[in-house]
Amino acid sequence: RSGSALHKDPLGTSAWNALVTGSKLWVLFPPCTPVDWLRPAADRDVAEDSASCWFLLWWRQLRGRTRQWPVQYRPIELVQRPGEVIFVPARWWHAALNLEDSIAVTHNFCSRWNVRDVWRRCVHATHPMLARHLRRCLGEALPEMHRALAERPPEAAEGDDPEVSYLSSREEPRTAEPRVCCGGGGGAGTGCGD
């Protein structure tokens, strides 16, 4: 199955996903959820970036435990059907699994609500061209907000790394070697690094 393993959208953006055909299973975690609670157990033979592996090997174990978590950390789990649009707020960890062949349209964006975070991440991350474009557009559309951000740029929240969008239980850098997923042999259609 295809989809996306647990991640948060880049640069503090929000996103929407409109499903045209098929169905998708979504799990969304509030940004205040402790990251250690979301991290899968280390297993060198599993493709952590595979949606199917995340759902089969990690979500199955985690789902029951989340019912015991304090309410502010509990995930939202839902199945998206054709014609439905899902909104993913900025900084929310989420994963999606296509339950069947699916076609969707998705778009990341920033708004007045999250422009401070996007501004900060563009400036602090390795996106100088995007940062210049954001500054120019913001200066034209919302000059007061542009001036305020330029005079007093937002600071990073503790533990917030603007370059991290995916969880990884590995400490060493990823390699290009093939990995086994869910006991399978990898390759086309398995969701194992393809």
Side-chain angles (χ1 to χ4, degrees):
R1 295 265 178 235
S2 63
S4 61
L6 191 67
H7 70 283
K8 57 183 174 178
D9 287 328
L11 301 175
T13 57
S14 297
W16 55 262
N17 180 288
L19 191 60
V20 179
T21 63
S23 58
K24 290 178 173 280
L25 174 62
W26 288 82
V27 179
L28 298 95
F29 294 89
C32 61
T33 305
V35 175
D36 290 347
W37 294 9
L38 305 176
R39 191 177 308 280
D43 186 342
R44 294 190 180 281
D45 294 331
V46 173
E48 294 174 357
D49 54 355
S50 162
S52 57
C53 288
W54 187 86
F55 276 94
L56 288 172
L57 298 176
W58 185 236
W59 180 236
R60 279 186 176 177
Q61 297 171 17
L62 187 60
R63 179 192 257 157
R65 289 191 306 219
T66 64
R67 293 183 185 106
Q68 306 305 314
W69 290 0
V71 70
Q72 71 267 28
Y73 302 139
R74 290 186 193 155
I76 298 169
E77 181 181 16
L78 61 104
V79 175
Q80 182 184 18
R81 306 277 180 209
E84 296 178 341
V85 177
I86 301 295
F87 172 71
V88 180
R91 299 175 38 232
W92 278 60
W93 291 98
H94 57 284
L97 180 68
N98 293 317
L99 299 175
E100 57 189 303
D101 289 343
S102 300
I103 298 173
V105 178
T106 192
H107 186 70
N108 288 74
F109 66 95
C110 76
S111 63
R112 289 176 188 251
W113 177 78
N114 64 343
V115 71
R116 292 181 64 82
D117 278 344
V118 174
W119 175 288
R120 179 176 46 81
R121 285 179 171 89
C122 282
V123 170
H124 292 288
T126 57
H127 298 81
M129 289 182 69
L130 181 57
R132 280 193 300 274
H133 180 69
L134 177 63
R135 286 185 192 121
R136 183 178 53 77
C137 291
L138 197 58
E140 293 170 6
L142 300 166
E144 319 78 45
M145 184 176 284
H146 177 272
R147 194 170 21 266
L149 289 170
E151 290 172 2
R152 191 167 156 243
E155 295 181 19
E158 185 177 334
D160 188 12
D161 184 343
E163 296 185 27
V164 174
S165 292
Y166 286 85
L167 289 177
S168 175
S169 63
R170 294 197 187 115
E171 306 235 337
E172 69 274 24
R174 294 178 184 243
T175 66
E177 297 175 23
R179 293 163 284 166
V180 175
C181 174
C182 312
T190 63
C192 299
D194 55 317

